[in-house]
Amino acid sequence: MSVLEDLAMAVGPKHVLAGEAAKDDYHHDESLTVPAVCPLAVVLPGSTEELSGVLAAASRHRVAVTARGSGTGMSGACTPVDGGIVVSFERMSRIIEIDQANHVAVVQAGVQLDQLDSALAPLGLMYPVYPGEYSASLGGNVATNAGGMRAVRYGVTRHQVVGIRCGGKVAKLSSGYDLTQLIAGSEGTLALVTLAYLRLYPRPAFNATLLAPFSTLEAVAAAVPTVVGSGIGPSILEYVDMLTMAAMTAHSGIDLGVADEIRSTALAYLVVGLEARSETRLEEDAEAMAELLAKAGAMEVYVLPPGSAVQLIEAREKAFWVAKANGADDVLDVVVPRAAIPAFMAAVAEVASSTGSLLPGCGHAGDGNVHLAVFQPDPETRHEVERRVFEAGLTLGGAISGEHGIGRAKRDLFLELEDPAKVELMRRLKAAFDPLGILNPGVTL
Ligand SMILES: Cc1cc2nc3c(=O)[nH]c(=O)nc-3n(C[C@H](O)[C@H](O)[C@H](O)COP(=O)(O)OP(=O)(O)OC[C@H]3O[C@@H](n4cnc5c(N)ncnc54)[C@H](O)[C@@H]3O)c2cc1C
């Protein structure tokens, strides 16, 4: 029996898309550097049982399997292998249960963030991980350990996933190795996620967004630990440099009401989101935060009207598209301890000037996660730029990626720069989970 026939036995012939039917969208994600690849077939299982059949067929034929959620990843991690299959979770997109007593949602891997949010909002609940692209799937979020703007308050995906097949609705667990956490962030290289148990939170009733321009990038970065340490607990703490802010506001046409003389001299901005259960509490927090930002050197502090606040957050979430439209050659998301952001940014400025590259950025400053757009068209110089930027992050106690993952895009530099002992242990874990080496080969390792 051919592979395609075997797969068709598992899911039914109309759920195996080959040739023209395996449309271009399945060939790539949003990485700017990883080339698209047409797979042998795209397979659409409708249940865990069907997925088991698909994996059994792939094992028999030794065919590479690349899981795919919504294809919004930034590191080429769901780009298929030539001759391999893509397993798309679009038919497994049911919210199985919203358990309000235990504050847990049970969802199939193909459920999208916006779909879950629409189901939770009427119940006054939220799932607090908001990476910038809400069409992303929960399976993809688990596999990349997605972060986003609210991680400064709520943590990233792994802090909200209480179970997959292992784990469950329990609030804590100390029963052997935590396999759920091993799968989180494993980019489809160890296992395929069919179901996730997600922690839910009450939806905050009141929100405010403050915008603070600073005269230097270093001053913004230096203010971050003070804001985090204030006890006010911001839900969003983003920095945006001057070039990125200009591009974002021009692209989305927002007027943030920043005075001309400040706009022309500010080199970077801090965006602080606050949330509270009562209006009075929110006002007190906003006032205290504004004072703190002014003391930390802000040129001015604006409490944005709700309309512009929403537009600014949306524009920040879409900053990637603006960078792409302006011709960025790559996007990086190095993470460093947050107090090391100034040192990291100084190293980045040195790399940019010594290589003739432009490295503007913005990022989840509260988490030390710096997103840089790389404008350097020459591939060799760009490789050098990225190696030096990654080295700078690692030297400061950080990591190559804070949330986008290693994928195919950063694999070579990951293997070159990471601790070899850690990489070897990862290889042994990979072999234990995937002895045939068919799960997303070439990703991460
Ligand atoms: C405009 C924009 C803004 C973004 N902002 C952020 C941000 O702020 N923070 C952030 O973290 N990310 C961000 N991202 C990146 C992206 O949205 C996340 O990486 C997201 O988690 C990917 O989900 P997906 O469903 O699209 O996964 P895909 O891209 O389809 O896949 C990503 C990885 O997950 C694996 N995978 C998918 N489903 C499964 C499964 N069921 N089982 C096992 N493995 C699976 C794939 O094999 C691949 O390795 C942004 C992307 C865009 C386009």
Side-chain angles (χ1 to χ4, degrees):
M1 199 186 311
S2 75
V3 194
L4 294 182
E5 285 164 347
D6 210 353
L7 291 167
M9 293 276 287
V11 294
K14 72 173 180 188
H15 300 306
V16 179
L17 314 177
E20 296 274 289
K23 296 204 171 64
D24 290 1
D25 241 14
Y26 293 112
H27 302 186
H28 63 88
D29 64 3
E30 295 302 341
S31 157
L32 296 177
T33 56
V34 177
V37 173
C38 178
L40 174 69
V42 178
V43 189
L44 313 172
S47 64
T48 304
E49 292 66 36
E50 287 190 6
L51 178 63
S52 297
V54 170
L55 292 178
S59 301
R60 279 193 288 277
H61 297 272
R62 302 287 195 272
V63 168
V65 177
T66 296
R68 181 186 174 88
S70 302
T72 70
M74 301 276 213
S75 59
C78 75
T79 305
V81 173
D82 192 14
I85 61 167
V86 166
V87 172
S88 171
F89 283 85
E90 61 210 77
R91 287 179 65 225
M92 294 180 67
S93 58
R94 260 187 331 118
I95 298 174
I96 308 281
E97 185 187 1
I98 296 175
D99 180 339
Q100 296 189 64
N102 285 309
H103 284 92
V104 170
V106 186
V107 302
Q108 286 188 316
V111 168
Q112 296 187 355
L113 281 167
D114 46 9
Q115 178 190 351
L116 180 61
D117 196 55
S118 302
L120 294 175
L123 305 174
L125 293 171
M126 69 166 182
Y127 172 64
V129 184
Y130 290 90
E133 181 53 59
Y134 300 164
S135 65
S137 72
L138 269 313
N141 276 195
V142 172
T144 56
N145 186 26
M149 283 202 224
R150 286 166 178 78
V152 65
R153 173 141 194 173
Y154 294 97
V156 297
T157 303
R158 71 165 70 254
H159 303 121
Q160 313 306 338
V161 181
V162 280
I164 36 179
R165 229 347 240 291
C166 32
K169 290 182 181 175
V170 288
K172 56 188 188 176
L173 192 76
S174 182
S175 299
Y177 300 148
D178 193 338
L179 300 178
T180 305
Q181 293 303 322
L182 191 54
I183 302 304
S186 64
E187 302 191 282
T189 61
L190 299 182
L192 269 55
V193 176
T194 56
L195 199 72
Y197 293 75
L198 309 170
R199 232 187 264 282
L200 302 177
Y201 293 77
R203 216 173 174 89
F206 299 94
N207 298 285
T209 304
L210 281 66
L211 178 68
F214 285 76
S215 56
T216 65
L217 192 51
E218 293 70 30
V220 166
V224 169
T226 317
V227 174
V228 175
S230 66
I232 299 172
S235 54
I236 291 176
L237 183 48
E238 296 284 306
Y239 93 89
V240 183
D241 73 12
M242 180 255 291
L243 275 179
T244 308
M245 182 61 95
M248 269 166 43
T249 45
H251 190 260
S252 54
I254 330 170
D255 179 2
L256 295 168
V258 178
D260 283 350
E261 67 275 16
I262 292 187
R263 206 174 44 230
S264 57
T265 47
L267 286 192
Y269 295 77
L270 213 50
V271 181
V272 184
L274 299 174
E275 56 185 32
R277 274 180 298 133
S278 81
E279 206 162 1
T280 324
R281 177 67 195 267
L282 186 70
E283 277 167 14
E284 279 171 20
D285 282 355
E287 208 170 298
M289 183 57 76
E291 269 174 37
L292 190 140
L293 289 166
K295 269 197 204 139
M299 300 163 81
E300 185 61 81
V301 181
Y302 302 90
V303 179
L304 297 179
S308 336
V310 170
Q311 280 181 307
L312 176 61
I313 298 301
E314 277 178 5
R316 163 63 194 92
E317 281 169 341
K318 306 297 171 226
F320 166 73
W321 301 119
V322 179
K324 187 175 174 181
N326 282 310
D329 299 292
D330 204 355
V331 171
L332 309 179
D333 80 310
V334 172
V335 63
V336 294
R338 70 172 81 88
I341 297 179
F344 179 67
M345 295 313 294
V348 168
E350 202 281 311
V351 174
S353 68
S354 62
T355 58
S357 314
L358 195 58
L359 299 172
C362 53
H364 311 311
D367 309 329
N369 194 188
V370 177
H371 291 212
L372 296 170
V374 180
F375 290 84
Q376 174 48 262
D378 176 56
E380 264 178 43
T381 313
R382 189 166 69 242
H383 186 78
E384 178 61 10
V385 165
E386 299 191 355
R387 194 174 56 71
R388 286 173 59 189
V389 167
F390 292 159
E391 272 175 340
L394 288 164
T395 306
L396 290 164
I400 288 173
S401 169
E403 56 182 22
H404 293 162
I406 298 301
R408 299 186 190 286
K410 291 166 233 148
R411 180 202 52 198
D412 291 350
L413 283 170
F414 174 78
L415 294 177
E416 182 186 328
L417 301 173
E418 258 299 347
D419 175 358
K422 174 176 160 186
V423 171
E424 176 51 25
L425 194 53
M426 287 174 70
R427 287 193 196 285
R428 284 156 64 186
L429 282 167
K430 164 87 176 155
F433 274 83
D434 176 25
L436 300 178
I438 59 169
L439 294 181
N440 228 359
V443 163
T444 315
L445 295 173

